[in-house]
Amino acid sequence: MCCPCCLCVSTSEVVVVERLGKFDRFLSPGFNVIWCPCEQHAGSVSFRVQQLDVRVETKTKDNVFLTTVVSVQYQVIREKAYQAFYALTNTQQQITAHIYDVMRSQLPTLELDAVFEAKEDLALAVKNALQETMSGYGYQILQALITDIDPDQRVKNAMNEINSAKRLKFAIAEKAEGQKILQVKSAEAEAEAKYLSGVGVAKQRKAIVDGLRTSIVDFSGNIKGASSKDVMDLLLLTQYFDCVRDVGSASHCKTTFVSSSNDGIRDSLIVADAAKLK
């Protein structure tokens, strides 16, 4: 004797009804009635998008062990709800096995640096392999993502040190180039300053010579019998007295004037020694 039993089905799901152990029908979302005990609720199939995160540990071509996290988003195909419910005992275990197979066959062919660059290619390879297999079981693979690539901590530290060394080398090269530019500019400025100083000294000496020439001409013209040598001696004597005056008026200057004759040099040294003893 069968009696009606009420059953409510949630949105985005269907309920599998079996009659005497054999599949009978799917119940759509909403209010439904089944005849107990001839009919029974065998289970439900959800059409919501589901996500499975799988951690895969393997090594690369350069023998670096790393752990990758693969996230797979999948969904039941409405037209294949029967296969999705009855074909597989554990859907997630099936997907995990295929992810392991793809990742452990692809990663050993790549070096560590290439793994980070080929992340999109690896994700596409996982998606294509799962799509080909799982479509026969009533599932469609919406997306496969490589969400994390985690090498051993010691490898990460070594990579950071290599990167730091490269940046330090670049910084030292740039600093040296800057110092080189400063030295070159300083040398150019010094050369320019010396050139201008030489031009100034040359102009100064030319002006002195022109002045002396004019003085000699004027002196010779105004005083009869005076030769050019007499004028030059007078000018040198005047410059000598000017020099003595400047030396004597400077408080920080200590100078001893020695005669040019041999006897004069000897007498001057004796006087200097006597001054020290006092």
Side-chain angles (χ1 to χ4, degrees):
M1 184 74 182
C2 296
C3 60
C5 297
C6 299
L7 184 64
C8 293
V9 182
S10 301
T11 305
S12 298
E13 289 185 357
V14 292
V15 171
V16 180
V17 177
E18 294 180 348
R19 177 183 289 270
L20 301 178
K22 180 182 178 181
F23 171 75
D24 185 68
R25 66 187 183 279
F26 289 111
L27 298 182
S28 302
F31 180 79
N32 294 273
V33 176
I34 62 174
W35 297 94
C36 299
C38 298
E39 295 178 345
Q40 60 181 357
H41 176 283
S44 61
V45 178
S46 175
F47 297 115
R48 297 184 180 91
V49 176
Q50 303 178 64
Q51 178 168 313
L52 175 64
D53 297 327
V54 180
R55 298 181 64 87
V56 182
E57 183 178 2
T58 184
K59 75 179 186 69
T60 60
K61 186 177 181 180
D62 46 354
N63 296 321
V64 176
F65 282 87
L66 52 82
T67 302
T68 58
V69 178
V70 183
S71 298
V72 177
Q73 298 172 354
Y74 61 97
Q75 185 181 33
V76 174
I77 303 173
R78 290 184 178 271
E79 294 77 13
K80 296 184 177 181
Y82 180 87
Q83 291 89 332
F85 185 79
Y86 285 103
L88 294 176
T89 303
N90 191 326
T91 305
Q92 294 187 352
Q93 187 176 358
Q94 182 78 8
I95 294 175
T96 300
H98 283 284
I99 292 175
Y100 274 118
D101 179 67
V102 174
M103 296 299 291
R104 288 180 173 172
S105 63
Q106 294 286 333
L107 287 178
T109 63
L110 301 173
E111 295 185 352
L112 181 60
D113 293 336
V115 172
F116 289 92
E117 298 174 359
K119 187 174 69 171
E120 297 297 329
D121 296 335
L122 291 172
L124 183 60
V126 171
K127 180 181 178 181
N128 292 336
L130 288 175
Q131 185 68 42
E132 181 180 355
T133 303
M134 299 305 294
S135 60
Y137 299 122
Y139 289 89
Q140 59 177 342
I141 306 301
L142 301 178
Q143 191 62 269
L145 303 172
I146 308 294
T147 57
D148 190 21
I149 299 175
D150 186 22
D152 186 81
Q153 185 62 41
R154 291 172 296 178
V155 176
K156 290 191 287 186
N157 293 337
M159 293 175 67
N160 290 333
E161 290 178 1
I162 292 173
N163 189 26
S164 176
K166 288 182 179 179
R167 292 181 180 275
L168 181 61
K169 180 180 178 181
F170 178 77
I172 292 174
E174 290 295 318
K175 183 179 179 180
E177 186 66 23
Q179 292 177 348
K180 174 186 174 183
I181 294 174
L182 288 177
Q183 291 178 357
V184 170
K185 293 298 180 182
S186 177
E188 291 177 353
E190 184 178 357
E192 185 68 17
K194 289 183 179 179
Y195 170 77
L196 295 176
S197 176
V199 172
V201 170
K203 289 182 178 180
Q204 180 186 18
R205 291 177 179 175
K206 184 177 183 300
I208 292 173
V209 171
D210 292 340
L212 290 174
R213 184 187 298 113
T214 303
S215 299
I216 292 171
V217 172
D218 293 341
F219 191 86
S220 299
N222 293 330
I223 299 176
K224 296 180 179 180
S227 64
S228 299
K229 183 178 182 304
D230 295 334
V231 178
M232 287 297 298
D233 291 340
L234 179 60
L235 291 175
L236 290 175
L237 182 62
T238 303
Q239 290 182 354
Y240 172 76
F241 285 127
D242 291 340
C243 178
V244 172
R245 182 195 62 194
D246 293 338
V247 170
S249 61
S251 60
H252 62 278
C253 185
K254 296 180 181 179
T255 304
T256 301
F257 288 92
V258 181
S259 175
S260 60
S261 64
N262 294 331
D263 295 338
I265 293 174
R266 180 176 178 278
D267 295 338
S268 299
L269 293 175
I270 294 173
V271 172
D273 291 338
K276 287 182 180 180
L277 294 175
K278 292 181 180 180

